[in-house]
Amino acid sequence: MRACTPTLVRSDLSYKDRHWHEDCFKCFQCKRPLVDKPFSTKDEQLLCTECYSNEYSSKCHECKKTIMPGSRKMEHKGNSWHETCFTCKRCQQPIGTKSFIPKDNQNFCVPCYEKQFAMQCVHCKKPITTGGVTYRDQPWHKDCFLCTSCKQQLSGQRFTSRDDFAYCLNCFCNLYAKKCASCTTPISGLGGSKYISFEERQWHNDCFNCKKCSVSLVGRGFLTERDDILCPECGKDI
């Protein structure tokens, strides 16, 4: 909208090559005289500032009143507010250009939203606003949910626990898993991986082979000679 002032030539009023009698120069809506007053035009109709604003200007989403042209307004997702009406639902302070969080058609400044709605991380006790992790029904920040041993972030990777402490698989295997009697690397037993156990010794399935000919002994009979395992063929001369 642009406020306009007509040119007065005696009793003749002209604006953009159009002419009116002084008594005819009125608002199309309310019929009030527009002589020496600001006005606007819409579809070639003359309108006083108030009628134009009521008809075509934005309405405040909070107070439902017209937002007058030229005044400051706040906009979000197709809605408009007077600057003084755009306030936090909880503390009632103006939000202005600060960050805010909408919830259930209401707006909250970030501190108030965190106090009222955000879960608190069980580790650092601070609010979780985005991207949390739930472990044993308790909320954690991703940055706080770490392996107890190496402090590597566990979010997005497989992990396990012992005595309610979370561990990445590498640390858990190195600290607690039994070692293969053949290759000496940890046997995790996690994820359905199979292993062989015999007389307090364990082997990976792929490691449970005859010491001499290397044939797999999984599901077969075998003999032992000290710490070695042998197939019946290689062990027949024992």
Side-chain angles (χ1 to χ4, degrees), residues 42-199:
K42 181 72 174 179
D43 300 329
E44 297 190 353
Q45 301 291 344
L46 301 174
L47 295 168
C48 66
T49 302
E50 184 176 349
C51 287
Y52 183 93
S53 298
N54 289 335
E55 189 74 20
Y56 301 109
S57 293
S58 302
K59 299 295 188 294
C60 177
H61 187 68
E62 179 66 23
C63 71
K64 312 305 179 186
K65 295 180 180 179
T66 300
I67 301 175
M68 297 301 291
S71 62
R72 288 173 61 87
K73 68 177 180 178
M74 313 303 294
E75 295 182 327
H76 176 65
K77 290 189 174 181
N79 293 320
S80 300
W81 290 261
H82 293 110
E83 187 176 23
T84 54
C85 291
F86 192 60
T87 59
C88 170
K89 180 66 178 180
R90 188 171 188 267
C91 69
Q92 299 300 312
Q93 294 300 307
I95 294 174
T97 57
K98 294 181 292 186
S99 297
F100 70 97
I101 300 174
K103 181 177 176 62
D104 300 332
N105 295 320
Q106 297 173 338
N107 299 315
F108 296 84
C109 65
V110 173
C112 284
Y113 181 89
E114 291 178 348
K115 290 177 184 176
Q116 187 160 339
F117 300 108
M119 293 184 294
Q120 286 193 338
C121 173
V122 70
H123 177 73
C124 70
K125 312 303 181 187
K126 295 180 180 179
I128 301 172
T129 54
T130 57
V133 175
T134 300
Y135 173 63
R136 295 187 182 274
D137 295 326
Q138 293 182 316
W140 300 67
H141 289 113
K142 285 184 178 181
D143 293 340
C144 293
F145 190 56
L146 309 176
C147 171
T148 303
S149 180
C150 69
K151 307 306 179 186
Q152 177 180 238
Q153 196 174 121
L154 295 178
S155 176
Q157 66 166 302
R158 294 176 63 201
F159 65 92
T160 188
S161 64
R162 184 182 177 96
D163 300 328
D164 290 335
F165 293 103
Y167 294 87
C168 67
L169 295 189
N170 284 339
C171 287
F172 181 86
C173 290
N174 290 332
L175 290 170
Y176 301 112
K178 298 180 183 297
K179 304 297 189 293
C180 176
S182 177
C183 71
T184 70
T185 60
I187 301 173
S188 70
L190 300 170
S193 60
K194 297 180 180 180
Y195 65 96
I196 307 297
S197 180
F198 176 71
E199 292 185 350

